[in-house]
Amino acid sequence: MPSSTPAAPHGYYGRHIFFCLNERKNGEDCCALHNAQQGFDRCKAKVKEAGLAGPGKVRVNKAGCLDRCAGGPVAVVYPEAVWYTFVDAEDIDEIVESHLKNGNVVERLVLPPDVGR
Ligand code: FES
């Protein structure tokens, strides 16, 4: 377990990241149209590869619409409640290495607070 993984006295995972994978059938914009699945898959693989996955460590989860679609694709990390937007594998790798592993927020990828649906 990385030393920077927060203790989870009331939880099961040290850090939890949720990726919106929402797909709209009506043609409206959604995270699924912006490589959300690729981001999720990459994150899941990298977390596993780094030995970060599991109880007391990190969990990578799918989510439906998180209602911040205008910034999509989006993901949110708890317990810090840091929202990210990403475009490619390098972005995901940086979130894994910097935030999920070492607890350092990747400021360049943080979703501005005024971005909503
Ligand atoms: S479609 Fe992803 S946040 Fe709404």
Side-chain angles (χ1 to χ4, degrees), residues 41-90:
D41 291 343
R42 176 83 179 192
C43 187
K44 194 112 181 152
K46 284 296 196 179
V47 162
K48 188 174 180 187
E49 183 183 299
L52 298 172
K57 296 190 280 185
V58 174
R59 174 74 179 175
V60 183
N61 265 102
K62 299 176 181 178
C65 179
L66 297 168
D67 218 22
R68 300 197 71 187
C69 327
V74 299
V76 58
V77 178
Y78 291 105
E80 293 92 353
V82 173
W83 289 78
Y84 288 114
T85 184
F86 53 91
V87 296
D88 56 25
E90 285 179 14

Side-chain angles (χ1 to χ4, degrees), residues 1-15 56 79:
M1 179 166 124
S3 59
S4 58
T5 300
H10 305 295
Y12 192 69
Y13 298 111
R15 268 191 193 95

Side-chain angles (χ1 to χ4, degrees), residues 20-116:
C20 170
L21 299 185
N22 188 43
E23 180 177 7
R24 294 199 170 95
K25 303 292 183 191
N26 62 4
E28 280 183 31
D29 204 13
C30 57
C31 291
L33 294 178
H34 299 279
N35 298 326
Q37 183 70 53
Q38 288 91 327
F40 170 80
D41 291 343
R42 176 83 179 192
C43 187
K44 194 112 181 152
K46 284 296 196 179
V47 162
K48 188 174 180 187
E49 183 183 299
L52 298 172
K57 296 190 280 185
V58 174
R59 174 74 179 175
V60 183
N61 265 102
K62 299 176 181 178
C65 179
L66 297 168
D67 218 22
R68 300 197 71 187
C69 327
V74 299
V76 58
V77 178
Y78 291 105
E80 293 92 353
V82 173
W83 289 78
Y84 288 114
T85 184
F86 53 91
V87 296
D88 56 25
E90 285 179 14
D91 291 345
I92 296 297
D93 294 356
E94 196 172 342
I95 291 169
V96 172
E97 182 66 24
S98 180
H99 192 159
L100 299 181
K101 183 175 180 184
N102 294 313
N104 300 314
V105 174
V106 184
E107 297 292 344
R108 73 178 185 89
L109 299 175
V110 169
L111 195 60
D114 60 340
V115 174

